[in-house]
Amino acid sequence: MKLKKFTAPTMSQAIAKVKKELGNDAVIFHTKKVTTGRFFNLIKREHIEVIAASDPDPVLKEPRLSAEKIHRKSADSHVIAVPSAPLKRRRIDKYFSGPDAFRKIETRLSEQGLKPEHVDLILKGLVKKWYKHDESLSEPEMNQILKASFVRLLHPERFGKPETNQRLIMLLGPTGVGKTTTIAKLAGRDVLGGGKQIALVSTDTFRVAAISQLKTYADLLSVPVDVAYSAGELKPLLVKYSGCDRIYIDTAGRNFQHEAYVRDLASMIRDNDQIRPYLTLAATAKYADLNRLIRSFDGLPVDQLILTKMDETTTYGAIVSTLIDFPEKQIVCVTNGQEVPDDLQAPDVTELINLMLGDTHDK
Ligand SMILES: Nc1nc2c(ncn2[C@@H]2O[C@H](COP(=O)(O)OP(=O)(O)OP(=O)(O)O)[C@@H](O)[C@H]2O)c(=O)[nH]1
Ligand SMILES: [Mg+2]
């Protein structure tokens, strides 16, 4: 089934045509007013153009628009019937006779692991824009629109450097995600680049090697390191290093499905309300796990994210979908390798989108 264009002098006549040809279950994708001129443009006429598709598939039935609704909306705008119908993934061939660029985009986004709802949302927006531009957008123009749509969805203002006045920074995250290494990178940047006084505190007494790992980095940077063996020991250590510009607190990576573990972390954060927790997420993780992980901290002030292991994946859809789903989370830094302190980057929304779209030329 293909989309079809109908024109008529009025909206009700256009809808009547749609109903007659495609039946009552037709889905309206787009409508606009078109002005045509006759006799050297001396006589101008307005027509209504409606793009519609018949609906043999139940998923497309839900947003069917009645003629009255369309009339009500058309009073204020040209483009009225935004297809709230899900333009289902892999259905694009079935319902849409537009250019190949749409299929390429759909395939790329799906292969990148972007959540199906987000693929639909992006495609719907593109189809709408394509009709708005009289079906004449070139592939590069469509790619520009695609990027701009992602930038808007991702809220670029939250990709930034952490506030410089954060004094107590605690890294949380699942096992092996790169918490300790990232602390070493951040501390290295502060000491070597910013001449700051830093202290490192470990609360990770779970793994025997954890303390020696942090100590190695502390020795390299010539900064003090200490261990809090219980939640109660943390506060005195924070007082001990109160003269420092910044204290990084390392935590043990544990399975976040263990409620007791999340409860312990939560009470440590609540008892020391100056602590800014940074939740560390690996770009290699699956969407469902990232989502569950973030939700396990609901109710706590865990609003800052670190993305690690960007170099270990070629698919970025899970991260992009996660960031779209949690627009209030800030991204403070990104890591892309094991080198301390070099493999640490400022987050860049365009770079993330380009990686996902496979576009390495356009910044
Ligand atoms: N490729 C790559 N490896 C990384 C990155 N960040 C950390 N790693 C590596 O990941 C491994 C685990 O890093 P850690 O810093 O020990 O991770 P952790 O979260 O502290 O681990 P636990 O304390 O056991 O939970 C190490 O081999 C790091 O070198 C990164 O951005 N890219
Ligand atoms: Mg660690």
Side-chain angles (χ1 to χ4, degrees):
M1 187 65 55
K2 303 274 187 233
L3 294 180
K4 198 163 175 187
K5 194 188 287 178
F6 298 84
T7 45
T10 66
M11 181 59 76
S12 28
Q13 283 167 301
I15 297 297
K17 275 188 176 178
V18 173
K19 277 189 177 170
K20 190 166 173 220
E21 195 158 325
L22 302 178
N24 276 343
D25 287 338
V27 177
I28 308 290
F29 274 79
H30 179 83
T31 70
K32 69 176 174 188
K33 275 188 193 155
V34 208
T35 311
T36 51
R38 286 171 65 204
F39 301 113
F40 305 101
N41 273 344
L42 291 174
I43 303 173
K44 286 215 162 77
R45 268 185 158 186
E46 277 201 342
H47 281 274
I48 301 293
E49 191 177 286
V50 173
I51 311 285
S54 65
D55 179 18
D57 188 330
V59 281
L60 286 174
K61 275 186 181 157
E62 164 207 341
R64 219 173 54 213
L65 284 176
S66 68
E68 306 87 80
K69 266 193 198 157
I70 291 172
H71 272 304
R72 224 177 321 117
K73 287 190 180 176
S74 66
D76 355 286
S77 73
H78 274 209
V79 180
I80 46 178
V82 177
S84 52
L87 231 188
K88 282 286 163 194
R89 261 183 344 133
R90 289 184 296 276
R91 305 239 175 102
I92 198 140
D93 279 329
K94 211 167 149 201
Y95 292 103
F96 182 64
S97 55
D100 257 3
F102 282 98
R103 281 164 207 87
K104 277 198 219 160
I105 290 167
E106 188 207 16
T107 307
R108 174 79 195 182
L109 298 182
S110 303
E111 283 173 358
Q112 282 288 302
L114 195 74
K115 213 167 108 174
E117 293 94 291
H118 293 154
V119 179
D120 291 344
L121 187 71
I122 287 285
L123 285 174
K124 275 198 293 186
L126 267 183
V127 169
K128 208 179 124 192
K129 281 266 167 38
W130 192 67
Y131 280 120
K132 226 175 165 177
H133 287 84
D134 291 326
E135 304 164 37
S136 63
L137 287 173
S138 65
E139 201 168 320
E141 282 170 328
M142 263 202 275
N143 283 332
Q144 282 309 319
I145 293 173
L146 179 68
K147 281 183 193 179
S149 315
F150 272 114
V151 169
R152 253 194 323 276
L153 272 177
L154 280 166
H155 296 275
E157 65 284 356
R158 69 203 167 119
F159 285 70
K161 289 193 178 130
E163 297 158 34
T164 46
N165 58 359
Q166 294 180 359
R167 273 200 66 249
L168 307 181
I169 293 174
M170 173 185 266
L171 267 69
L172 320 170
T175 327
V177 76
K179 298 176 293 298
T180 309
T181 314
T182 306
I183 284 184
K185 291 174 185 174
L186 290 166
R189 192 184 57 184
D190 286 346
V191 172
L192 306 171
K196 287 198 166 65
Q197 297 273 338
I198 299 293
L200 306 183
V201 172
S202 179
T203 61
D204 184 356
T205 51
F206 183 71
R207 264 195 323 123
V208 180
I211 296 163
S212 63
Q213 188 190 359
L214 197 66
K215 194 168 179 327
T216 306
Y217 290 127
D219 290 347
L220 283 170
L221 294 169
S222 305
V223 300
V225 61
D226 241 306
V227 183
Y229 285 94
S230 66
E233 285 183 33
L234 183 60
K235 214 169 220 161
L237 285 178
L238 300 183
V239 174
K240 177 174 169 187
Y241 294 112
S242 56
C244 288
D245 299 311
R246 187 165 293 151
I247 304 173
Y248 287 102
I249 306 160
D250 198 9
T251 62
R254 299 287 293 278
N255 186 341
F256 277 72
Q257 291 169 68
H258 292 164
E259 275 178 29
Y261 170 59
V262 175
R263 250 197 332 267
D264 282 355
L265 279 176
S267 76
M268 219 161 15
I269 295 167
R270 283 205 190 94
D271 290 352
N272 301 278
D273 61 359
Q274 301 297 308
I275 290 178
R276 301 300 296 260
Y278 288 3
L279 180 57
T280 315
L281 304 175
T284 47
K286 297 190 205 77
Y287 167 80
D289 295 335
L290 292 170
N291 198 284
R292 197 166 334 117
L293 190 59
I294 293 180
R295 288 190 193 286
S296 63
F297 289 102
D298 269 355
L300 283 169
V302 182
D303 296 327
Q304 324 236 17
L305 305 179
I306 292 176
L307 305 181
T308 61
K309 308 202 177 183
M310 290 291 280
D311 57 310
E312 281 198 2
T313 185
T314 51
T315 56
Y316 304 90
I319 279 289
V320 169
S321 273
T322 305
L323 297 180
I324 292 173
D325 282 345
F326 295 94
E328 71 289 358
K329 307 286 181 205
Q330 302 277 324
I331 300 93
V332 287
C333 66
V334 170
T335 77
N336 59 346
Q338 293 180 288
E339 290 300 318
V340 177
D342 290 346
D343 293 333
L344 178 73
Q345 290 186 329
D348 182 329
V349 70
T350 317
E351 202 173 314
L352 178 62
I353 295 167
N354 285 347
L355 282 170
M356 184 177 62
L357 299 179
D359 186 347
T360 46
H361 312 293
D362 187 16
K363 265 286 275 177

